[in-house]
Amino acid sequence: MENMDEKTTRRDEIISVATRFFYEKGLKNTYFEMIANELNITAPLISYHFKSKDNLAKSVFEKIGLDIKNAISEKMYLSKIPYDLKVSTVVDFLTLDMIWNQDENARNFYLEYLNCGFESTFTDNYINFYKIHDRQYHLDIDRGSGELSMLATAATFAGFALSYAYYTDKLDCKTHEQFVDYSVKMQFRFMRIPEDEIDKIIRVGKDIFQMMAIEIAPYFQIK
């Protein structure tokens, strides 16, 4: 029986190999047996840790988002850019969108992931994201009614739906920039931030994004 440290290490190893396979072969064409062979373990052990391929995809997707957020924070720190949660959120979004938009392998995984069921794409990370913004900016919401979790859930899946529609050519959107602007604004609108403040946040975020000259790299990475 694995102890807690061994479980964590094993999970991390599986996520790392799965990330590579999902990027190279796609979600549909990756099987537990392939990952197991790479790690010299059994496929049932992967099922023990993740239950299903959709759950494994969720863990990979969450890790991609966390890695990008940490990389952006480090770049901002090294560039001596003062940290602002709202502006950082814009830069994070622009960076992830650049990965989906410019890297065909990454985009294919993203679209396949969005086709997973509700249970597989929903995580508490989205609610925690809104909680962090609420703690810092005291959003205009009714906390006693659970409105924060409802807004976070609605915003998250509205964003997913919008991305899926855009990347599968179901939106009559003139430019990619229009899609990006609307997607970012939508998240802040769900937070009930005034429109003029949203415009300012996005302008500053775009300026910082351009100044940092972020480039994408294979396997959902940036440089």
Side-chain angles (χ1 to χ4, degrees):
M1 183 70 69
E2 294 178 320
N3 61 38
M4 189 56 66
D5 288 341
E6 289 172 334
K7 281 185 176 181
T8 301
T9 300
R10 181 62 73 196
R11 282 180 59 89
D12 289 345
E13 290 174 343
I14 294 170
I15 289 171
S16 178
V17 172
T19 300
R20 176 160 58 85
F21 276 113
F22 288 161
Y23 180 86
E24 293 174 352
K25 302 179 181 299
L27 181 55
K28 292 179 181 177
N29 294 324
T30 297
Y31 303 96
F32 280 179
E33 289 78 8
M34 298 162 59
I35 299 170
N37 290 339
E38 186 79 5
L39 291 169
N40 197 27
I41 59 176
T42 63
L45 183 59
I46 301 177
S47 297
Y48 166 74
H49 283 285
F50 295 97
K51 308 303 181 189
S52 70
K53 189 166 67 170
D54 286 354
N55 283 338
L56 176 55
K58 176 169 68 175
S59 294
V60 168
F61 184 77
E62 289 176 340
K63 182 71 162 47
I64 292 168
L66 180 60
D67 286 349
I68 291 299
K69 182 176 289 293
N70 289 338
I72 292 298
S73 296
E74 182 179 8
K75 278 181 170 289
M76 292 179 72
Y77 174 78
L78 293 175
S79 301
K80 295 182 170 55
I81 299 172
Y83 181 81
D84 179 274
L85 179 59
K86 292 176 183 174
V87 172
S88 179
T89 295
V90 174
V91 178
D92 292 346
F93 184 96
L94 293 174
T95 304
L96 281 168
D97 177 74
M98 182 169 65
I99 292 174
W100 311 140
N101 186 49
Q102 296 184 11
D103 188 325
E104 185 178 1
N105 284 22
R107 181 168 62 253
N108 288 340
F109 164 74
Y110 182 47
L111 291 175
E112 287 184 302
Y113 173 69
L114 293 182
N115 268 315
C116 295
F118 177 87
E119 288 294 333
S120 298
T121 51
F122 178 80
T123 76
D124 290 335
N125 287 353
Y126 307 130
I127 296 175
N128 291 335
F129 170 78
Y130 264 64
K131 285 181 178 178
I132 291 170
H133 278 265
D134 185 37
R135 281 198 299 269
Q136 181 143 353
Y137 301 113
H138 306 291
L139 303 178
D140 182 19
I141 57 174
D142 180 0
R143 293 163 191 82
S145 69
E147 185 176 19
L148 186 144
S149 62
M150 289 188 281
L151 285 173
T153 303
T156 297
F157 286 97
F160 278 169
L162 195 61
S163 291
Y164 187 84
Y166 178 79
Y167 285 114
T168 55
D169 296 322
K170 293 179 174 63
L171 285 183
D172 183 18
C173 196
K174 303 299 183 193
T175 67
H176 183 72
E177 185 176 11
Q178 287 176 329
F179 158 72
V180 171
D181 285 352
Y182 187 85
S183 298
V184 178
K185 284 184 177 183
M186 182 181 66
Q187 296 299 320
F188 290 120
R189 284 167 177 161
F190 271 99
M191 295 182 191
R192 307 228 175 102
I193 295 173
E195 200 72 18
D196 58 343
E197 184 179 348
I198 293 175
D199 290 338
K200 180 181 178 181
I201 293 167
I202 292 176
R203 281 198 305 272
V204 174
K206 282 184 172 181
D207 288 344
I208 290 175
F209 180 77
Q210 292 296 328
M211 182 179 67
M212 292 171 68
I214 296 168
E215 297 179 16
I216 64 170
Y219 302 101
F220 313 102
Q221 301 295 311
I222 62 170
K223 58 185 178 180

